[in-house]
Protein backbone atom coordinates (compact mmCIF):
# COMPACT_ATOMS: atom_id res chain seq x y z
CA UNK A 1 0.00 0.00 0.00
CA UNK A 2 1.50 3.33 -1.10
CA UNK A 3 0.68 6.34 1.04
CA UNK A 4 1.35 9.97 0.21
CA UNK A 5 2.20 11.85 3.41
CA UNK A 6 1.75 15.62 3.74
CA UNK A 7 3.25 17.69 6.58
CA UNK A 8 3.02 21.46 7.17
CA UNK A 9 2.63 21.82 10.94
CA UNK A 10 5.47 24.32 11.49
CA UNK A 11 8.17 25.64 9.16
CA UNK A 12 8.81 22.71 6.82
CA UNK A 13 6.65 21.99 3.78
CA UNK A 14 7.00 18.27 3.18
CA UNK A 15 5.56 15.43 1.13
CA UNK A 16 6.70 11.81 0.84
CA UNK A 17 5.60 8.46 -0.51
CA UNK A 18 6.06 5.38 1.71
CA UNK A 19 5.11 1.80 0.90
CA UNK A 20 3.57 -0.39 3.63
CA UNK A 21 4.78 1.93 6.37
CA UNK A 22 8.42 0.88 5.99
CA UNK A 23 9.78 1.54 2.50
CA UNK A 24 10.71 5.13 1.70
CA UNK A 25 10.03 5.86 -1.98
CA UNK A 26 10.45 9.64 -1.86
CA UNK A 27 10.99 12.36 0.71
CA UNK A 28 10.73 16.04 -0.25
CA UNK A 29 11.29 18.77 2.36
CA UNK A 30 11.33 22.50 1.72
CA UNK A 31 12.62 24.18 4.85
CA UNK A 32 11.83 27.79 5.74
CA UNK A 33 14.75 28.01 8.19
CA UNK A 34 16.50 30.77 6.19
CA UNK A 35 13.31 32.83 6.02
CA UNK A 36 12.75 32.70 9.81
CA UNK A 37 16.43 32.89 10.88
CA UNK A 38 16.45 36.69 10.49
CA UNK A 39 13.68 36.89 13.16
CA UNK A 40 15.39 34.36 15.47
CA UNK A 41 12.34 32.07 15.44
CA UNK A 42 9.30 30.99 13.45
CA UNK A 43 6.86 33.78 12.50
CA UNK A 44 3.47 32.02 12.07
CA UNK A 45 2.01 34.28 9.35
CA UNK A 46 5.20 34.08 7.29
CA UNK A 47 5.23 30.29 7.71
CA UNK A 48 1.65 29.89 6.43
CA UNK A 49 2.33 32.09 3.41
CA UNK A 50 5.46 30.14 2.50
CA UNK A 51 3.56 26.83 2.74
CA UNK A 52 0.99 28.12 0.22
CA UNK A 53 3.75 29.01 -2.25
CA UNK A 54 5.37 25.59 -2.31
CA UNK A 55 2.82 22.97 -1.26
CA UNK A 56 1.74 21.93 -4.78
CA UNK A 57 5.26 21.69 -6.27
CA UNK A 58 6.43 19.76 -3.17
CA UNK A 59 3.63 17.19 -3.54
CA UNK A 60 4.25 16.83 -7.28
CA UNK A 61 7.97 16.35 -6.67
CA UNK A 62 7.28 13.62 -4.10
CA UNK A 63 5.15 11.75 -6.67
CA UNK A 64 7.77 12.18 -9.40
CA UNK A 65 10.66 11.09 -7.15
CA UNK A 66 8.69 7.98 -6.15
CA UNK A 67 8.01 7.24 -9.81
CA UNK A 68 4.29 7.38 -9.08
CA UNK A 69 1.21 8.84 -10.71
CA UNK A 70 -1.99 9.38 -8.74
CA UNK A 71 -3.15 5.93 -9.91
CA UNK A 72 -0.35 4.34 -7.86
CA UNK A 73 -1.27 6.14 -4.64
CA UNK A 74 -3.63 4.18 -2.34
CA UNK A 75 -4.22 6.81 0.35
CA UNK A 76 -3.23 10.20 1.73
CA UNK A 77 -2.02 10.79 5.30
CA UNK A 78 -1.89 14.34 6.58
CA UNK A 79 -0.80 16.03 9.83
CA UNK A 80 -3.95 17.33 11.61
CA UNK A 81 -2.32 18.14 14.99
CA UNK A 82 -0.56 19.76 16.78
CA UNK A 83 1.12 22.84 15.30
CA UNK A 84 0.62 26.38 14.10
CA UNK A 85 -2.98 26.73 12.94
CA UNK A 86 -2.18 28.68 9.76
CA UNK A 87 0.51 26.17 8.78
CA UNK A 88 -1.60 23.10 9.56
CA UNK A 89 -4.48 24.46 7.49
CA UNK A 90 -2.43 24.68 4.29
CA UNK A 91 -1.41 21.01 4.34
CA UNK A 92 -4.85 19.92 5.47
CA UNK A 93 -6.70 21.84 2.73
CA UNK A 94 -4.30 20.54 0.08
CA UNK A 95 -4.78 16.95 1.33
CA UNK A 96 -8.58 17.24 1.54
CA UNK A 97 -8.80 18.72 -1.95
CA UNK A 98 -6.55 16.04 -3.45
CA UNK A 99 -8.47 13.27 -1.64
CA UNK A 100 -11.74 14.47 -3.18
CA UNK A 101 -10.24 15.14 -6.61
CA UNK A 102 -8.46 11.80 -6.93
CA UNK A 103 -10.97 9.79 -4.84
CA UNK A 104 -8.39 8.61 -2.31
CA UNK A 105 -9.01 7.66 1.33
CA UNK A 106 -7.57 10.24 3.74
CA UNK A 107 -6.17 9.58 7.24
CA UNK A 108 -5.39 12.23 9.88
CA UNK A 109 -2.03 11.77 11.64
CA UNK A 110 -0.75 13.22 14.92
CA UNK A 111 2.60 14.93 14.30
CA UNK A 112 4.29 14.04 17.60
CA UNK A 113 3.23 10.41 17.41
CA UNK A 114 4.48 10.36 13.81
CA UNK A 115 7.99 11.48 14.87
CA UNK A 116 8.39 8.05 16.49
CA UNK A 117 7.67 6.40 13.12
CA UNK A 118 10.90 7.73 11.61
CA UNK A 119 12.31 4.68 13.42
CA UNK A 120 10.08 2.33 11.38
CA UNK A 121 11.82 3.57 8.23
CA UNK A 122 15.07 1.96 9.41
CA UNK A 123 16.12 -1.38 7.95
CA UNK A 124 14.84 -3.22 11.05
CA UNK A 125 11.61 -2.16 12.75
CA UNK A 126 11.74 -1.57 16.53
CA UNK A 127 10.08 -4.27 18.65
CA UNK A 128 7.26 -3.77 21.16
CA UNK A 129 7.11 -2.92 23.97
CA UNK A 130 9.05 0.11 22.77
CA UNK A 131 10.18 3.01 24.94
CA UNK A 132 10.21 6.28 22.97
CA UNK A 133 11.94 9.46 24.06
CA UNK A 134 10.25 12.21 22.03
CA UNK A 135 12.26 15.42 22.03
CA UNK A 136 11.32 18.25 19.69
CA UNK A 137 10.83 22.00 19.65
CA UNK A 138 7.40 21.62 21.28
CA UNK A 139 7.57 18.29 23.15
CA UNK A 140 9.65 16.33 25.62
CA UNK A 141 7.97 13.04 26.52
CA UNK A 142 8.67 9.47 27.47
CA UNK A 143 6.07 7.17 25.94
CA UNK A 144 5.73 3.41 26.33
CA UNK A 145 4.28 1.84 23.19
CA UNK A 146 2.64 -1.56 23.79
CA UNK A 147 1.81 -1.76 20.09
CA UNK A 148 0.88 0.52 17.19
CA UNK A 149 -1.71 2.98 18.47
CA UNK A 150 -1.59 1.59 21.98
CA UNK A 151 0.66 3.61 24.23
CA UNK A 152 0.91 5.35 27.57
CA UNK A 153 2.57 8.62 28.41
CA UNK A 154 4.86 7.95 31.37
CA UNK A 155 6.76 11.24 31.58
CA UNK A 156 6.75 14.74 30.13
CA UNK A 157 8.13 18.21 30.58
CA UNK A 158 6.52 20.36 33.25
CA UNK A 159 7.45 23.56 31.40
CA UNK A 160 9.61 24.15 28.29
CA UNK A 161 10.37 21.49 25.71
CA UNK A 162 14.06 20.62 25.42
CA UNK A 163 14.28 21.90 21.80
CA UNK A 164 12.77 25.19 22.93
CA UNK A 165 15.48 25.44 25.63
CA UNK A 166 18.18 24.78 22.98
CA UNK A 167 16.67 27.55 20.82
CA UNK A 168 16.40 30.09 23.68
CA UNK A 169 19.89 29.43 25.07
CA UNK A 170 21.35 29.74 21.56
CA UNK A 171 19.75 33.17 21.29
CA UNK A 172 21.19 34.24 24.66
CA UNK A 173 24.75 33.21 23.78
CA UNK A 174 24.53 34.51 20.19
CA UNK A 175 24.26 31.37 18.08
CA UNK A 176 21.97 31.21 15.02
CA UNK A 177 18.46 29.74 14.82
CA UNK A 178 17.64 26.86 15.03
CA UNK A 179 19.55 26.55 18.29
CA UNK A 180 19.84 22.75 18.45
CA UNK A 181 22.27 22.23 15.57
CA UNK A 182 24.24 25.42 16.30
CA UNK A 183 24.69 24.53 19.99
CA UNK A 184 25.70 20.99 18.98
CA UNK A 185 28.35 22.41 16.66
CA UNK A 186 29.70 25.03 19.10
CA UNK A 187 29.78 22.42 21.88
CA UNK A 188 32.32 20.38 19.91
CA UNK A 189 34.88 23.12 20.69
CA UNK A 190 33.76 23.80 24.26
CA UNK A 191 34.38 22.37 27.72
CA UNK A 192 31.19 20.68 29.01
CA UNK A 193 32.43 21.03 32.60
CA UNK A 194 33.24 24.76 32.39
CA UNK A 195 29.96 25.86 34.01
CA UNK A 196 28.00 23.87 36.57
CA UNK A 197 24.31 24.14 35.72
CA UNK A 198 21.51 22.55 37.78
CA UNK A 199 19.41 19.51 36.87
CA UNK A 200 15.79 19.89 38.00
CA UNK A 201 14.37 17.52 40.63
CA UNK A 202 10.70 16.78 39.98
CA UNK A 203 7.80 15.00 41.62
CA UNK A 204 6.99 12.79 38.61
CA UNK A 205 9.54 9.98 38.37
CA UNK A 206 10.04 10.29 34.61
CA UNK A 207 9.20 13.98 34.15
CA UNK A 208 11.48 16.71 32.83
CA UNK A 209 11.91 20.45 33.36
CA UNK A 210 14.03 22.77 31.24
CA UNK A 211 12.88 26.23 32.20
CA UNK A 212 15.15 26.32 35.29
CA UNK A 213 18.14 25.22 33.22
CA UNK A 214 17.46 27.98 30.70
CA UNK A 215 17.27 30.62 33.47
CA UNK A 216 20.36 29.22 35.21
CA UNK A 217 22.27 29.51 31.93
CA UNK A 218 21.09 33.10 31.51
CA UNK A 219 22.23 33.95 35.07
CA UNK A 220 25.60 32.26 34.53
CA UNK A 221 26.15 34.27 31.32
CA UNK A 222 25.20 37.50 33.14
CA UNK A 223 27.67 36.65 35.93
CA UNK A 224 30.39 35.72 33.44
CA UNK A 225 30.18 39.04 31.58
CA UNK A 226 29.90 40.98 34.85
CA UNK A 227 26.39 42.48 34.63
CA UNK A 228 23.43 42.20 37.00
CA UNK A 229 20.17 40.23 36.46
CA UNK A 230 18.36 43.25 35.03
CA UNK A 231 20.75 43.51 32.08
CA UNK A 232 18.88 42.82 28.77
CA UNK A 233 19.46 39.25 27.57
CA UNK A 234 19.59 40.46 23.95
CA UNK A 235 22.82 42.39 24.64
CA UNK A 236 24.72 39.59 26.38
CA UNK A 237 25.98 37.70 23.33
CA UNK A 238 28.21 40.52 22.06
CA UNK A 239 30.09 40.46 25.38
CA UNK A 240 31.00 36.77 25.14
CA UNK A 241 34.14 35.66 23.33
CA UNK A 242 34.12 32.47 21.25
CA UNK A 243 35.76 30.34 23.93
CA UNK A 244 33.14 31.25 26.54
CA UNK A 245 30.34 30.88 23.98
CA UNK A 246 31.52 27.35 23.16
CA UNK A 247 31.90 26.50 26.86
CA UNK A 248 28.34 27.66 27.56
CA UNK A 249 27.04 25.65 24.58
CA UNK A 250 28.85 22.52 25.79
CA UNK A 251 27.85 22.94 29.46
CA UNK A 252 24.19 23.59 28.63
CA UNK A 253 24.08 20.69 26.17
CA UNK A 254 25.66 18.28 28.66
CA UNK A 255 23.13 19.15 31.38
CA UNK A 256 20.11 19.01 29.05
CA UNK A 257 21.18 15.69 27.53
CA UNK A 258 21.99 14.13 30.90
CA UNK A 259 18.54 15.12 32.15
CA UNK A 260 16.96 13.32 29.18
CA UNK A 261 19.14 10.25 29.51
CA UNK A 262 18.71 9.96 33.32
CA UNK A 263 14.92 9.74 32.96
CA UNK A 264 15.08 7.39 29.98
CA UNK A 265 17.41 5.07 31.86
CA UNK A 266 15.07 5.00 34.88
CA UNK A 267 12.09 4.15 32.65
CA UNK A 268 14.15 1.49 30.86
CA UNK A 269 15.07 -0.18 34.15
CA UNK A 270 11.46 -0.13 35.40
CA UNK A 271 9.60 -1.19 32.22
CA UNK A 272 12.12 -3.51 30.49
CA UNK A 273 11.14 -2.54 26.92
CA UNK A 274 12.41 -4.64 23.99
CA UNK A 275 13.50 -1.50 22.13
CA UNK A 276 14.37 2.12 22.85
CA UNK A 277 13.93 4.81 20.20
CA UNK A 278 14.41 8.56 20.12
CA UNK A 279 12.33 10.89 17.99
CA UNK A 280 11.89 14.57 17.12
CA UNK A 281 14.37 17.26 16.11
CA UNK A 282 16.59 16.92 19.20
CA UNK A 283 17.04 13.21 18.34
CA UNK A 284 19.49 14.47 15.70
CA UNK A 285 21.83 15.49 18.54
CA UNK A 286 25.02 13.41 18.40
CA UNK A 287 25.77 13.79 22.09
CA UNK A 288 22.32 12.46 23.02
CA UNK A 289 22.91 9.43 20.80
CA UNK A 290 26.38 8.81 22.25
CA UNK A 291 25.39 9.10 25.92
CA UNK A 292 22.15 7.13 25.53
CA UNK A 293 24.00 4.26 23.83
CA UNK A 294 26.54 4.29 26.69
CA UNK A 295 23.87 4.00 29.34
CA UNK A 296 21.22 1.70 27.80
CA UNK A 297 22.27 -1.95 27.50
CA UNK A 298 20.43 -2.49 24.20
CA UNK A 299 21.52 -1.80 20.64
CA UNK A 300 19.77 1.38 19.52
CA UNK A 301 19.21 1.72 15.80
CA UNK A 302 18.91 5.51 15.44
CA UNK A 303 16.73 6.99 12.72
CA UNK A 304 18.55 8.87 9.94
CA UNK A 305 19.19 12.52 10.82
CA UNK A 306 16.99 13.88 8.01
CA UNK A 307 14.02 11.91 9.35
CA UNK A 308 14.43 13.23 12.94
CA UNK A 309 13.45 16.81 12.11
CA UNK A 310 10.06 17.49 10.49
CA UNK A 311 9.30 15.45 7.38
CA UNK A 312 6.35 13.75 5.68
CA UNK A 313 7.84 10.24 5.49
CA UNK A 314 7.06 9.75 9.17
CA UNK A 315 3.48 10.94 8.49
CA UNK A 316 3.06 8.42 5.65
CA UNK A 317 4.57 5.64 7.78
CA UNK A 318 2.24 6.18 10.72
CA UNK A 319 -0.62 6.73 8.23
CA UNK A 320 -0.13 3.15 7.04
CA UNK A 321 -0.35 1.57 10.51
CA UNK A 322 -3.30 3.83 11.38
CA UNK A 323 -5.11 2.81 8.16
CA UNK A 324 -4.88 -0.85 9.15
CA UNK A 325 -7.10 -0.26 12.20
CA UNK A 326 -9.25 2.76 11.31
CA UNK A 327 -11.73 3.86 8.66
CA UNK A 328 -10.76 6.86 6.53
CA UNK A 329 -11.90 10.33 7.53
CA UNK A 330 -14.50 12.31 5.60
CA UNK A 331 -12.48 14.75 3.45
CA UNK A 332 -15.30 17.31 3.69
CA UNK A 333 -15.28 17.22 7.50
CA UNK A 334 -11.63 16.77 8.54
CA UNK A 335 -10.39 19.59 10.79
CA UNK A 336 -7.02 20.62 12.22
CA UNK A 337 -6.43 20.52 16.00
CA UNK A 338 -3.56 22.92 16.80
CA UNK A 339 -3.08 21.91 20.42
CA UNK A 340 -4.28 18.34 20.99
CA UNK A 341 -1.69 16.39 22.98
CA UNK A 342 -0.51 12.89 22.26
CA UNK A 343 -2.08 11.43 25.40
CA UNK A 344 -5.50 11.69 23.82
CA UNK A 345 -4.74 10.10 20.48
CA UNK A 346 -3.98 6.42 21.24
CA UNK A 347 -6.09 4.81 18.54
CA UNK A 348 -6.03 1.10 19.15
CA UNK A 349 -6.60 -0.21 22.63
CA UNK A 350 -7.61 -3.70 21.45
CA UNK A 351 -4.06 -4.85 20.67
O1 LIG B 1 10.83 17.97 15.47
P1 LIG B 1 11.23 19.31 15.04
O2 LIG B 1 11.88 19.46 13.68
O3 LIG B 1 10.02 20.30 15.06
C1 LIG B 1 9.04 20.22 16.07
O4 LIG B 1 8.11 19.41 15.89
O5 LIG B 1 9.21 20.94 17.07
O6 LIG B 1 12.20 19.87 16.17
C2 LIG B 1 12.78 21.12 16.10
C3 LIG B 1 13.69 21.29 17.31
C4 LIG B 1 14.28 22.67 17.41
O7 LIG B 1 14.10 23.14 18.73
C5 LIG B 1 15.76 22.45 17.08
O8 LIG B 1 16.60 23.38 17.74
C6 LIG B 1 15.97 21.04 17.58
O9 LIG B 1 14.78 20.36 17.23
N1 LIG B 1 17.11 20.38 16.93
C7 LIG B 1 18.20 19.93 17.61
C8 LIG B 1 19.09 19.42 16.64
N2 LIG B 1 18.52 19.54 15.40
C9 LIG B 1 17.30 20.14 15.61
N3 LIG B 1 18.49 19.97 18.92
C10 LIG B 1 19.67 19.46 19.32
N4 LIG B 1 20.59 18.98 18.47
C11 LIG B 1 20.36 18.92 17.13
N5 LIG B 1 21.28 18.43 16.29
ZN1 LIG C 1 8.21 17.96 14.72
Amino acid sequence: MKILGIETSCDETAAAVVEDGRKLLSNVIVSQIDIHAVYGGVVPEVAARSHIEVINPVINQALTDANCTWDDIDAIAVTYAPGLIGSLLIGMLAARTLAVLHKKPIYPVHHVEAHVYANFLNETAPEFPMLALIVSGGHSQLVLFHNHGNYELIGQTCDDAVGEAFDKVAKIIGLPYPGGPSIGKAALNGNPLAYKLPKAKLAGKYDFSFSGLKTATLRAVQREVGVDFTFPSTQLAERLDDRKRNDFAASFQRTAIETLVDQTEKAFNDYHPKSVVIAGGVAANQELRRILSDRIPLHIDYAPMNLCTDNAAMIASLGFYFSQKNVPADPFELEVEPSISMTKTAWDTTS
Side-chain angles (χ1 to χ4, degrees):
M1 180 174 185
K2 287 183 183 149
I3 296 194
L4 170 74
I6 297 175
E7 152 67 38
T8 62
S9 66
C10 188
D11 60 344
E12 261 93 27
T13 317
V17 180
V18 172
E19 188 168 0
D20 296 336
R22 302 281 327 278
K23 192 169 171 208
L24 185 61
L25 300 184
S26 68
N27 183 32
V28 180
I29 304 169
V30 171
S31 171
Q32 304 173 4
I33 281 179
D34 294 346
I35 301 172
H36 299 290
V38 281
Y39 306 104
V42 178
V43 183
E45 289 78 6
V46 176
R49 244 173 253 242
S50 304
H51 285 307
I52 295 178
E53 284 168 15
V54 297
I55 185 76
N56 284 332
V58 164
I59 291 170
N60 289 336
Q61 191 65 47
L63 293 173
T64 308
D65 289 358
N67 232 338
C68 286
T69 65
W70 275 103
D71 286 346
D72 304 313
I73 298 296
D74 299 294
I76 296 172
V78 58
T79 306
Y80 79 100
L84 302 170
I85 184 162
S87 292
L88 284 168
L89 277 170
I90 309 304
M92 176 57 80
L93 287 174
R96 284 173 50 180
T97 308
L98 291 166
V100 173
L101 194 66
H102 298 287
K103 301 189 176 54
K104 303 290 177 188
I106 182 170
Y107 297 96
V109 165
H110 191 279
H111 176 92
V112 181
E113 195 181 332
H115 265 299
V116 175
Y117 280 74
N119 293 282
F120 285 85
L121 292 159
N122 276 348
E123 202 135 290
T124 317
E127 282 184 81
F128 296 106
M130 166 179 82
L131 178 64
L133 171 67
I134 306 176
V135 278
S136 72
H139 293 80
S140 304
Q141 304 179 325
L142 270 167
V143 182
L144 186 67
F145 280 74
H146 301 287
N147 209 328
H148 298 293
N150 177 1
Y151 54 75
E152 55 186 305
L153 179 71
I154 59 174
Q156 63 186 324
T157 182
C158 304
D159 39 59
D160 292 355
V162 63
E164 199 179 341
F166 267 91
D167 294 337
K168 287 180 180 163
V169 167
K171 220 171 179 172
I172 294 168
I173 63 176
L175 292 170
Y177 171 85
S182 49
I183 286 188
K185 212 164 135 206
L188 292 174
N189 300 314
N191 172 8
L193 302 172
Y195 299 99
K196 183 141 181 45
L197 301 166
K199 283 193 215 166
K201 297 263 179 303
L202 295 162
K205 193 171 178 191
Y206 313 109
D207 284 344
F208 309 102
S209 161
F210 293 101
S211 146
L213 172 59
K214 180 195 64 193
T215 310
T217 310
L218 171 65
R219 298 288 178 249
V221 176
Q222 287 166 327
R223 256 195 314 274
E224 185 64 57
V225 303
V227 296
D228 69 19
F229 292 171
T230 58
F231 189 82
S233 63
T234 48
Q235 291 168 31
L236 286 168
E238 62 209 46
R239 299 184 174 215
L240 282 178
D241 60 30
D242 278 350
R243 187 179 58 79
K244 285 180 183 158
R245 182 171 292 116
N246 293 341
D247 284 350
F248 272 115
S251 302
F252 162 80
Q253 174 174 266
R254 180 182 73 96
T255 314
I257 298 299
E258 278 182 3
T259 305
L260 293 172
V261 175
D262 287 351
Q263 303 304 69
T264 310
E265 190 181 23
K266 263 191 248 169
F268 176 81
N269 290 334
D270 291 349
Y271 289 97
H272 311 292
K274 282 204 177 134
S275 65
V276 174
V277 300
I278 57 175
V282 184
N285 187 280
Q286 293 296 350
E287 202 52 15
L288 172 59
R289 292 172 175 222
R290 192 181 65 76
I291 298 182
L292 196 65
S293 288
D294 271 0
R295 300 253 297 265
I296 301 284
L298 267 186
H299 170 73
I300 304 178
D301 200 9
Y302 294 108
M305 306 286 258
N306 67 329
L307 298 182
C308 288
T309 43
D310 289 350
N311 66 85
M314 65 187 198
I315 305 298
S317 174
L318 173 54
F320 169 75
Y321 293 103
F322 184 84
S323 74
Q324 303 302 293
K325 300 267 185 173
N326 291 274
V327 293
D330 179 342
F332 292 99
E333 298 282 324
L334 198 50
E335 303 260 18
V336 299
E337 301 254 16
S339 50
I340 194 169
S341 84
M342 198 175 144
T343 41
K344 302 199 183 97
T345 55
W347 38 264
D348 180 16
T349 45
T350 59
S351 56

